[in-house]
Amino acid sequence: QVQLVESGGGLVQPGGSLTLSCAASGFLFSERIMSWVRQAPGKGLEWVSTLGTSGFVNNYSKVAEGRFTISRDNTKNILWLQMNSLKPEDTAVYYCASLRDGKSWSSKKRDDYDHWGQGTQVTVSS
C-alpha cells in the first residue's frame, strides 16, 4: 500500500522556520522524483519545489528560492522541506507528491503526480 505521510506543520510567527517531513512507503521512493506542492485557502495548487532521485538536482519556485530547502534520505524513504523566513502568504496545506515520469518538474497539475500525502497545515501568523 502506497503511503506518503507529512508532518511538521503548525503555527509559526512571520520570520520563523519550520521543517516538514514526508515519510514514504509502498513504492520505490529512491527511484521517484519528489515534489512539495501547497494549496492556500480558496486558491489552486501551487508548486513549491522538486528534487531528483539522487537528491542533488532540485528546482524551486520563485517564492521558495532562497528561503526553502528540499532534501531527501533514500535510505529512510523521507523527503523534507526546510522553510525559513516564513511569511503570512506561505500559509497553506503542504503536500508531498511523487511526480509522474516525463512530467514537468514545476507542474501544478494534480494529475501530474501519482502519489499524494494527506497534507500538513502551515500557518504563518503573529
Side-chain angles (χ1 to χ4, degrees), residues 22-81:
C22 171
S25 61
F27 66 104
L28 290 175
F29 175 80
S30 62
E31 295 185 5
R32 301 301 304 275
I33 298 168
M34 298 297 297
S35 298
W36 287 98
V37 294
R38 69 186 186 184
Q39 188 163 22
K43 295 188 177 181
L45 207 60
E46 180 182 20
W47 167 73
V48 176
S49 182
T50 297
L51 185 63
T53 56
S54 66
F56 294 112
V57 182
N58 54 46
N59 199 12
Y60 294 95
S61 67
K62 289 183 179 179
V63 296
E65 186 78 50
R67 298 190 299 131
F68 295 1
T69 302
I70 190 171
S71 60
R72 68 192 295 165
D73 185 334
N74 286 339
T75 66
K76 298 180 180 178
N77 290 355
I78 298 178
L79 179 75
W80 292 282
L81 183 69

Side-chain angles (χ1 to χ4, degrees), residues 32-33 98-104 110-114:
R32 301 301 304 275
I33 298 168
S98 53
L99 186 67
R100 294 184 186 273
D101 290 346
K103 299 302 182 182
S104 167
R110 187 170 293 274
D111 287 346
D112 284 354
Y113 302 91
D114 54 355

